[in-house]
């Protein structure tokens, strides 16, 4: 919904679409929370006392209404929420570190602060639900859900598998580079988020190219700042992995422009098919 919601609001009749989105997002958040609980307990039981503090961010994700504001052509409101969330999380985690608190407490504050902004913004702006529980809406949206899930699995499966099969050291080495990649590649995602509610690709393509170029240069230059961030952890910058990340960032931007643009035209099944093919 956060991906194609803004455009679907315009194509499908805003009031009914918004109401159904609210209804099903809540229930899918509960299902996702149960899924997270099972994964943590089965595969990461020794870290469960830490990881489960992240649940509030998943449980209350159904309240997140950034898609609604983008559909109303108000990305500025989305930016305000994200800025407040980021500053509050940074401050909260900073206080925990200063007080020498636990990792569990830091994660709880991080997840709880995000959940709080989801709820407050939802209560302030999203209209009341009047057309809930339309199963046809869920069936229409299902290919997007499947495709989006496949997309996230594609990018997160390496970390999950390394953590389970290879131990903390190898996972940390990979994740330190992956952290730099995701931090910079998200510039392309933010650009997509702003333009997904607009039918024209001209400005979208121009700004996507610019911010992807910034991200690529930032990743390529990581040799000079990687040691500042990760030397204390014993990780060493890897040139070949960085080279692959540069290529991946460019491919990632192309995917955002070409495959996600299918959703602007309502061709949700093609979107799901391409992402499942990528995961396979």
């Amino acid at each position: 919904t956060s991906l194609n919601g803004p455009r679907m609001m315009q194509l499908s009749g805003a009031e009914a679409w918004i109401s159904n989105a609210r209804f099903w997002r809540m229930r899918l958040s509960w299902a996702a929370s149960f899924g997270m609980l099972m994964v943590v307990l089965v595969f990461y039981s020794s870290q469960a006392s830490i990881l489960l503090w992240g649940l509030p961010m998943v449980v209350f994700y159904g309240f997140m209404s950034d898609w609604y504001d983008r559909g109303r052509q108000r990305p500025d409101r989305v930016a305000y929420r994200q800025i407040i969330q980021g500053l509050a999380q940074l401050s909260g985690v900073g206080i925990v570190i200063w007080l020498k608190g636990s990792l569990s407490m830091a994660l709880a504050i991080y997840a709880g602060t995000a959940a709080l902004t989801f709820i407050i913004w939802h209560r302030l702006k999203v209209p009341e639900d009047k057309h809930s529980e339309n199963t046809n809406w869920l069936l229409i949206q299902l290919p997007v859900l499947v495709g989006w899930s496949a997309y996230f699995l594609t990018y997160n499966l390496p970390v999950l598998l390394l953590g389970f099969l290879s131990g903390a050291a190898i996972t940390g080495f990979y994740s330190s580079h992956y952290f730099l990649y995701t931090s910079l590649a998200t510039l392309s995602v933010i650009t997509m988020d702003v333009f997904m509610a607009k039918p024209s690709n001209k400005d979208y393509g121009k700004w996507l190219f610019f911010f992807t170029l910034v991200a690529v240069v930032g990743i390529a230059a990581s040799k000079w700042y990687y040691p500042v961030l990760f030397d204390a952890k014993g990780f060493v910058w890897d040139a070949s992995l960085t080279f692959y990340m540069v290529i991946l960032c460019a491919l990632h931007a192309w995917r955002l422009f070409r495959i996600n643009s299918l959703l602007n035209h309502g061709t949700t099944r093609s979107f799901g098919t391409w992402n499942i093919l990528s995961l396979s």
Side-chain angles (χ1 to χ4, degrees):
T1 309
S2 59
L3 184 63
N4 73 327
R7 188 68 180 132
M8 293 303 291
M9 282 173 58
Q10 298 165 355
L11 294 175
S12 305
E15 185 178 344
W17 205 93
I18 292 167
S19 295
N20 283 284
R22 289 186 59 194
F23 179 87
W24 289 111
R25 279 177 61 86
M26 297 295 182
R27 281 144 187 83
L28 289 172
S29 289
W30 299 340
S33 302
F34 180 76
M36 176 183 172
L37 180 65
M38 291 298 100
V39 169
V40 169
L41 293 179
V42 173
F43 295 104
Y44 300 95
S45 57
S46 60
Q47 291 88 32
S49 61
I50 297 174
L51 294 176
L52 290 180
W53 286 104
L55 267 175
M57 196 168 179
V58 183
V59 172
F60 293 103
Y61 190 73
F63 285 98
M64 197 277 288
S65 57
D66 290 357
W67 55 273
Y68 171 74
D69 278 327
R70 290 190 178 106
R72 297 177 62 220
Q73 303 291 312
R74 292 299 305 270
D76 55 307
R77 297 194 185 199
V78 178
Y80 296 148
R81 188 202 65 77
Q82 293 175 342
I83 290 169
I84 291 173
Q85 175 188 333
L87 289 175
Q89 287 174 321
L90 185 63
S91 301
V93 173
I95 291 172
V96 171
I97 294 173
W98 181 55
L99 296 176
K100 295 181 172 58
S102 66
L103 181 60
S104 298
M105 181 58 68
L107 183 57
I109 289 177
Y110 185 90
T113 300
L116 189 61
T117 64
F118 296 158
I119 294 170
I120 291 174
W121 255 252
H122 181 90
R123 296 296 187 192
L124 287 176
K125 294 176 296 187
V126 182
E128 290 300 317
D129 192 351
K130 297 178 182 177
H131 303 273
S132 63
E133 204 173 354
N134 183 344
T135 53
N136 288 331
W137 183 96
L138 184 62
L139 291 174
I140 292 170
Q141 191 69 0
L142 189 60
V144 183
L145 174 63
V146 172
W148 199 228
S149 300
Y151 162 72
F152 270 105
L153 276 174
T154 302
Y155 280 92
N156 292 310
L157 201 57
V159 177
L160 294 172
L161 289 175
L162 282 172
F164 185 64
L165 298 173
S166 302
I170 293 177
T171 307
F173 164 76
Y174 179 88
S175 296
S176 63
H177 288 78
Y178 186 64
F179 171 77
L180 296 180
Y181 167 79
T182 53
S183 299
L184 289 160
T186 195
L187 293 172
S188 302
V189 178
I190 293 170
T191 306
M192 176 203 71
D193 286 343
V194 172
F195 283 94
M196 276 303 285
K198 302 178 184 296
S200 173
N201 280 337
K202 185 177 180 180
D203 288 337
Y204 176 28
K206 177 180 68 177
W207 285 109
L208 184 66
F209 176 81
F210 172 75
F211 283 111
T212 300
L213 183 62
V214 172
V216 164
V217 171
I219 293 170
S222 61
K223 177 181 179 179
W224 287 278
Y225 61 83
Y226 181 95
V228 177
L229 297 173
F230 299 110
D231 261 7
K233 300 293 184 182
F235 301 134
V236 179
W237 179 81
D238 186 272
S240 61
L241 189 53
T242 302
F243 174 73
Y244 291 134
M245 290 194 302
V246 167
I247 295 176
L248 181 62
C249 187
L251 288 172
H252 175 60
W254 174 85
R255 176 202 169 277
L256 292 175
F257 187 78
R258 298 299 302 171
I259 298 180
N260 285 14
S261 65
L262 294 170
L263 298 176
N264 272 342
H265 306 292
T267 52
T268 57
R269 292 187 182 278
S270 298
F271 172 82
T273 301
W274 277 107
N275 281 315
I276 291 173
L277 179 64
S278 176
L279 175 63
S280 301

